[in-house]
Amino acid sequence: MTSAAHTLRIGIARGWIEFRQTLRTPSDLASYLLNSVIMLVILSFLDRNEPAAGAISLGMIGLPGALATMIVFGGVTSMAQYLSIEREDGTLLRCRALPGGVAGYLTGKVVSVSLMTLLSMLVILLPGLFLIDGMLGNGISTLPTALWVTLLGLLATLPYGAIAGALFTNPRVATGIMLVPIMGLIVISGVFAPIDGFPGWIQTAAQVFPLYWLGLGMRSAFLPDTALAVEIGESWRTLETVGVLGAWAVVGLILAPIVLRRMARRESGAAMEARKHKVMQRVV
Amino acid sequence: MVNEPRAVPARIGSTETVVEVRDLWMRYGQVEVLKGVDFTARRGEVLALLGPNGAGKTTTIEILEGFRARSSGHVRVLGTDPAEGDERWRSRLGIVLQSWRDHGKWRVRELLGHLAAHYRPHSEPDRVRPRDVDELISTVGLEQHANKRVSMLSGGQRRRLDVAIGIVGRPELLFLDEPTAGFDPEARRDFHDLVHRLSDLEDTTVLLTTHDLDEAEKLADRILILAGGRIVADGSAETLARGVARDAEIRWTRGGDRYVHTADDATAFVRDLFDQYGDAVTDLEVRRATLEDVYLSLVHRHETGRTDEAAMAFEKETR
């Protein structure tokens, strides 16, 4: 067995164990799924009734938008949060002492955060399909589209979560700092309202970031082509979606290992001890 | 302080150098923490690194573990520069970390099994990696707690788990930074037995830091005292005690009075004493310098800023 394959196997095993632990820990599960519940509440306030033929309701835009938002929350916020927490508590240092430990740890984190993100999306999707009329018009073809958008979305977001987790040593700061720009993106990216009603410069800015494209990709999975009337260029722009998300993924996958390697190199017992001391002081 | 003799057949004739440190310097900005540290460790040796807080013990260990980049100097651990150690090199090391609250949700056996799996590709015919996890759990006395969550363990149980994690890969070289902090006396004795077994049966080289002199004396074949950024003493507990203070202290009572005298040759002095006063001498005590005396005198000299002098004086006396 090559060492890369072995590391991958160990990482997947770690991710699966962590995922099961989260499912068994009510407080973790609650904090993970809180966002999903908030999304469901928002969706329940949007217009959910069957629209007239050929038209779409706000609820029909909101459900794919909520799924896209969960990808960003999972890939960026959760990843950053877990990485900085587990750096503080010594998990990463423990792994650094093992052969192939850091690579295994990161693989595991990607696996567990991805699984939890998928779960948080299902928690919105399953009730959402009953809550909001007109979501199943595309039939079975919805599934493969939603899947590739999700996977590409995770690739485009997880590296940045990892980078943020590596840069901020304080988990509370990491979460707080990530939340503000993500909230901003939710507002400008047409997640809960058609983007064509926004000023041009906001549209342009939104298209730089993954969230807009994740929303568009998700809408292309769930909505009929009649919904294109409110999209930029009246097209699902699948190629552009792959292009922009792919570019974020590539840049992230190049940057993340550099930043993470620097971070891992700095992990030592003394650094851990200093952080522990700081936390103790905060508690006192 | 009686030091029990240890059977050390495996070590006789073993000259392979496992750790080699020459002129190691570490600077943090303007502060020089290590100022030319020199020492070596041979296969199967147990070395204790002693020194006051802030002397650079942890820094030294972390450089050897490959966790910290040094400022300058020659360092080889298992024949490799730790700054360039690869995963195979790492698989031959064991590190006992002072855990705090990592992996709290994992169960003891689950965690050990997972960490053990990292060593599987690095198994060798004469050194099977990893260790059997259930055997290891009973070695460190955690059978009753194997299915407990790590966060539910007591402090002492966690330290036992730390030790288990450190040796799960059957290391050739084991680092222990303050290993028995937080151990109760029984756990401490179990731990000492374990270290002896590792070094005797598996030829594991052990490098530990401590400020517990009693522990250093019980565990270590050789003691290094780090003070003022340099190794100021290097030898067995006995050699060190003899090197610094050859004089023994003799106390006795005669005619209701208590007397104290220091003499180079205690035996001759006591013989004369009895020749002269015979049965009148009672409550006789002869006390050689202990490791504690050596340590305190070296550290005192260091803290009063006469480290170089202390180191030189010591070298002269042991030569």
Side-chain angles (χ1 to χ4, degrees):
Chain A
M1 192 173 8
T2 67
S3 88
H6 184 256
T7 302
L8 188 67
R9 240 182 46 164
I10 279 186
I12 291 172
R14 168 174 277 268
W16 180 245
I17 291 172
E18 287 177 347
F19 177 60
R20 283 190 353 239
Q21 283 163 353
T22 307
L23 295 186
R24 283 199 307 247
T25 315
S27 61
D28 283 11
L29 203 56
S31 75
Y32 239 120
L33 298 182
L34 180 66
N35 286 330
S36 301
V37 174
I38 293 174
M39 289 295 161
L40 275 175
V41 171
I42 295 175
L43 289 179
S44 72
F45 281 108
L46 298 176
D47 177 14
R48 323 182 308 235
N49 296 322
E50 178 79 45
I56 51 160
S57 66
L58 274 183
M60 287 170 75
I61 288 177
L63 181 58
L67 296 178
T69 307
M70 292 318 292
I71 296 174
V72 175
F73 270 135
V76 182
T77 321
S78 301
M79 187 69 179
Q81 195 178 355
Y82 275 89
L83 207 58
S84 79
I85 287 176
E86 296 188 344
R87 202 143 54 100
E88 186 177 81
D89 73 15
T91 303
L92 189 65
L93 178 64
R94 180 82 73 191
C95 292
R96 203 191 165 198
L98 302 164
V102 174
Y105 167 81
L106 290 170
T107 310
K109 209 81 264 162
V110 165
V111 170
S112 64
V113 170
S114 298
L115 288 172
M116 277 316 298
T117 304
L118 288 178
L119 183 69
S120 72
M121 291 167 75
L122 280 178
V123 168
I124 295 177
L125 180 63
L126 296 180
L129 290 179
F130 291 98
L131 200 66
I132 294 158
D133 292 326
M135 294 308 298
L136 293 171
N138 290 349
I140 194 71
S141 71
T142 294
L143 195 62
T145 311
L147 268 182
W148 76 251
V149 172
T150 303
L151 294 183
L152 189 56
L154 286 171
L155 277 180
T157 51
L158 283 166
Y160 298 95
I163 290 171
L167 292 181
F168 300 108
T169 41
N170 183 338
R172 285 146 291 269
V173 171
T175 319
I177 287 185
M178 298 316 299
L179 219 52
V180 175
I182 290 178
M183 289 303 174
L185 282 184
I186 292 175
V187 172
I188 67 166
S189 294
V191 169
F192 294 109
I195 197 169
D196 72 340
F198 295 175
W201 64 272
I202 286 189
Q203 290 186 24
T204 310
Q207 289 179 69
V208 174
F209 296 99
L211 182 56
Y212 164 76
W213 297 97
L214 285 170
L216 180 65
M218 282 293 173
R219 288 195 293 279
S220 81
F222 287 95
L223 303 188
D225 286 350
T226 48
L228 284 173
V230 292
E231 296 294 348
I232 296 168
E234 299 196 5
S235 153
W236 292 126
R237 296 195 288 169
T238 304
L239 275 182
E240 288 92 325
T241 304
V242 174
V244 175
L245 292 179
W248 277 87
V250 168
V251 173
L253 290 171
I254 290 170
L255 286 180
I258 299 171
V259 178
L260 290 171
R261 213 169 293 140
R262 237 181 53 131
M263 166 197 75
R265 252 206 315 270
R266 290 184 175 181
E267 278 319 291
S268 67
M272 249 281 304
E273 202 54 37
R275 278 200 296 271
K276 174 175 167 183
H277 195 70
K278 226 153 86 186
V279 171
M280 295 302 190
Q281 280 180 329
R282 272 207 296 272
V283 172
V284 175
Chain B
M1 233 178 279
V2 180
N3 212 0
E4 283 184 30
R6 291 176 45 200
V8 285
R11 209 166 304 125
I12 292 169
S14 173
T15 51
E16 190 190 338
T17 302
V18 172
V19 178
E20 191 184 352
V21 178
R22 276 207 313 266
D23 200 25
L24 171 62
W25 286 72
M26 189 70 194
R27 301 177 192 88
Y28 296 106
Q30 293 299 307
V31 185
E32 289 174 335
V33 178
L34 303 178
K35 299 189 263 191
V37 168
D38 293 278
F39 71 94
T40 55
R42 285 181 299 280
R43 181 162 298 275
E45 233 182 347
V46 179
L47 245 67
L49 193 55
L50 274 174
N53 287 335
K57 301 189 295 283
T58 299
T59 300
T60 305
I61 291 249
E62 287 186 348
I63 289 169
L64 299 181
E65 289 168 342
F67 280 178
R68 191 177 283 276
R70 62 186 182 270
S71 302
S72 68
H74 172 90
V75 179
R76 289 290 176 277
V77 173
L78 294 166
T80 300
D81 180 344
E84 282 150 23
D86 59 6
E87 303 303 342
R88 173 153 289 272
W89 172 77
R90 187 153 290 294
S91 76
R92 299 165 66 197
L93 305 181
I95 299 175
V96 175
L97 292 164
Q98 286 250 31
S99 75
W100 172 27
R101 56 183 191 194
D102 65 292
H103 291 99
K105 284 175 213 140
W106 293 60
R107 290 168 203 282
V108 170
R109 183 184 284 112
E110 181 181 53
L111 178 60
L112 268 176
H114 174 72
L115 300 182
H118 289 75
Y119 293 92
R120 207 153 282 136
H122 304 289
S123 189
E124 289 159 30
D126 57 337
R127 217 174 181 92
V128 177
R129 297 189 172 101
R131 245 176 247 278
D132 181 90
V133 167
D134 285 312
E135 259 173 50
L136 180 57
I137 286 175
S138 68
T139 302
V140 298
L142 285 175
E143 302 97 319
Q144 306 296 313
H145 312 285
N147 289 316
K148 263 196 197 168
R149 280 184 170 211
V150 173
S151 58
M152 302 305 286
L153 298 180
S154 72
Q157 289 160 356
R158 260 202 100 128
R159 298 292 293 133
R160 286 166 182 257
L161 177 61
D162 290 337
V163 172
I165 293 171
I167 62 173
V168 71
R170 217 181 284 279
E172 290 166 56
L173 170 60
L174 180 64
F175 293 103
L176 300 153
D177 201 358
E178 303 285 344
T180 56
F183 270 18
D184 60 39
E186 195 197 340
R188 185 181 293 249
R189 208 193 44 220
D190 289 352
F191 172 77
H192 290 180
D193 288 346
L194 177 64
V195 169
H196 286 155
R197 278 210 304 278
L198 288 172
S199 114
D200 293 346
L201 302 179
E202 297 187 4
D203 229 4
T204 308
T205 310
V206 179
L207 181 54
L208 62 103
T209 71
T210 181
H211 33 229
D212 183 338
L213 295 158
D214 183 42
E215 177 162 278
E217 203 165 359
K218 281 204 177 101
L219 276 179
D221 300 316
R222 202 140 59 80
I223 292 168
L224 308 170
I225 298 178
L226 186 62
R230 227 168 280 173
I231 303 286
V232 296
D234 179 349
S236 71
E238 227 178 312
T239 329
L240 295 195
R242 238 179 260 135
V244 154
R246 241 162 314 193
D247 292 349
E249 198 177 73
I250 303 133
R251 294 163 182 264
W252 70 97
T253 307
R254 185 171 58 84
D257 290 328
R258 190 81 179 137
Y259 294 90
V260 181
H261 183 84
T262 35
D264 191 9
D265 184 352
T267 316
F269 180 84
V270 171
R271 195 183 298 120
D272 288 348
L273 192 67
F274 279 114
D275 283 348
Q276 211 171 332
Y277 300 105
D279 289 350
V281 177
T282 54
D283 288 337
L284 178 76
E285 276 177 69
V286 178
R287 189 174 159 276
R288 282 234 164 256
T290 62
L291 183 57
E292 191 175 354
D293 299 328
V294 179
Y295 177 76
L296 290 176
S297 92
L298 280 171
V299 169
H300 176 73
R301 274 186 257 181
H302 153 65
E303 277 171 356
T304 50
R306 294 190 289 142
T307 316
D308 294 343
E309 196 183 316
M312 276 184 310
F314 181 77
E315 272 167 30
K316 222 182 290 161
E317 283 171 58
T318 48
R319 204 164 281 151

